[in-house]
Amino acid sequence: MKITPHAQTPVTTSRRALLRASVATAAVSTAAGSALISGAGSAGAATRTPISRTRRPATPAAALAELSAGNRRWRTFKQQHPNESRAVRQELVSGQAPFALILGCIDSRVPPELVFDQGLGDLMTVRSAGEVLDEAVLGSVAYGVLELGIPLVLVLGHQSCGAVAAAVHAEETGESLPAHIQYIADQIKPAIDHSQEGDARVDATVSAQVELVRSRLAGEADLAAKVAAGELEIVGARYELNTQLVHRIS
């Protein structure tokens, strides 16, 4: 992403490059891991009837299986682009019943509806740089779970995250980031993995940030009560740009 700095804050070429989404960490990630659900991928190749509002996945396990199958369609170029018809659009005028909430990054290369091959009314998506939480994001997640009864929250990080790279760079150099971007870096800072160096540190921090956000959500009293009752699961996952695979990490 291109960042316009404050007039008072000169931006070096290296920092501008770090602030872009195309961070040179692709070589670090090996896309290790399997699909969201082991063995769920094969079902995704088959043609399916688009999800009806009346028969949406109603449990965390069913919702996770649907996302896993959809991701397999996406990465094998067998997308179905479901729930885009005139009838579906008209049906959705009267209400919505999404089966999963995706808390993801703003990166333009990771749009949840495409990555999981879902359509209108299937997913509720909340996006912030580096999946950073603030009151607006927390309130949005709570709305989906408490008001709409969504059974699955998936925190989705991704390979080569520019927000994570910027946070790591800022901590290592002591350099201040422009405008509100420093807030993003400060929120990611606790997740920085100091056991790694260079690009490996950025890549490891991507996963650590997902787990940090997932843990914080799981610690919210209202959400924790849903988890304890078996009505909600909060899952951490990564999207690998080089393979288009979404795999569970927590």
Side-chain angles (χ1 to χ4, degrees):
M1 56 183 177
K2 185 176 181 181
I3 304 299
T4 302
H6 277 163
Q8 303 297 324
T9 310
V11 180
T12 64
T13 300
S14 63
R15 190 173 79 186
R16 181 174 289 113
L18 279 164
L19 290 172
R20 291 173 183 158
S22 299
V23 182
T25 56
V28 176
S29 177
T30 59
S34 56
L36 284 171
I37 294 183
S38 178
S42 59
T47 301
R48 67 159 172 93
T49 303
I51 297 170
S52 165
R53 304 285 80 74
T54 59
R55 64 173 193 84
R56 71 166 190 170
T59 66
L64 201 57
E66 175 56 38
L67 291 183
S68 186
N71 178 243
R72 188 180 195 285
R73 293 192 300 273
W74 164 253
R75 68 180 190 271
T76 57
F77 299 94
K78 296 177 181 178
Q79 305 95 305
Q80 296 175 3
H81 303 289
N83 293 327
E84 297 177 357
S85 69
R86 180 186 298 272
V88 167
R89 298 182 198 189
Q90 292 175 340
E91 182 183 355
L92 288 170
V93 171
S94 62
Q96 62 172 324
F99 69 86
L101 186 149
I102 312 299
L103 171 54
C105 183
I106 60 172
D107 196 290
S108 63
R109 300 166 294 178
V110 195
E113 286 82 1
L114 295 183
V115 166
F116 294 111
D117 191 30
Q118 302 299 322
L120 295 173
D122 292 334
L123 304 179
M124 177 169 282
T125 59
V126 183
R127 302 178 71 176
S128 66
E131 309 87 56
V132 162
L133 295 176
D134 61 14
E135 283 302 309
V137 172
L138 282 167
S140 298
V141 173
Y143 179 82
V145 172
L146 303 178
E147 298 299 321
L148 298 182
I150 292 174
L152 176 69
V153 173
L154 185 78
V155 181
L156 183 64
H158 66 92
Q159 178 186 6
S160 301
C161 179
V164 169
V168 170
H169 179 72
E171 190 208 42
E172 290 176 345
T173 64
E175 188 177 345
S176 295
L177 298 172
H180 303 288
I181 301 171
Q182 186 63 52
Y183 173 83
I184 299 293
D186 290 343
Q187 296 301 304
I188 295 173
K189 184 176 179 179
I192 294 176
D193 187 341
H194 294 100
S195 70
Q196 303 291 330
E197 299 290 340
D199 289 343
R201 175 173 291 176
V202 175
D203 195 68
T205 301
V206 167
S207 296
Q209 171 65 0
V210 168
E211 176 54 24
L212 184 67
V213 171
R214 191 207 66 79
S215 295
R216 184 175 171 188
L217 289 175
E220 291 289 318
D222 288 338
L223 302 184
K226 290 281 189 179
V227 172
E231 300 171 1
L232 173 68
E233 188 169 358
I234 304 175
V235 171
R238 273 184 58 139
Y239 178 73
E240 305 300 341
L241 295 173
N242 54 2
T243 63
Q244 298 87 60
L245 172 71
V246 176
H247 58 100
R248 183 169 180 167
I249 59 175
S250 62

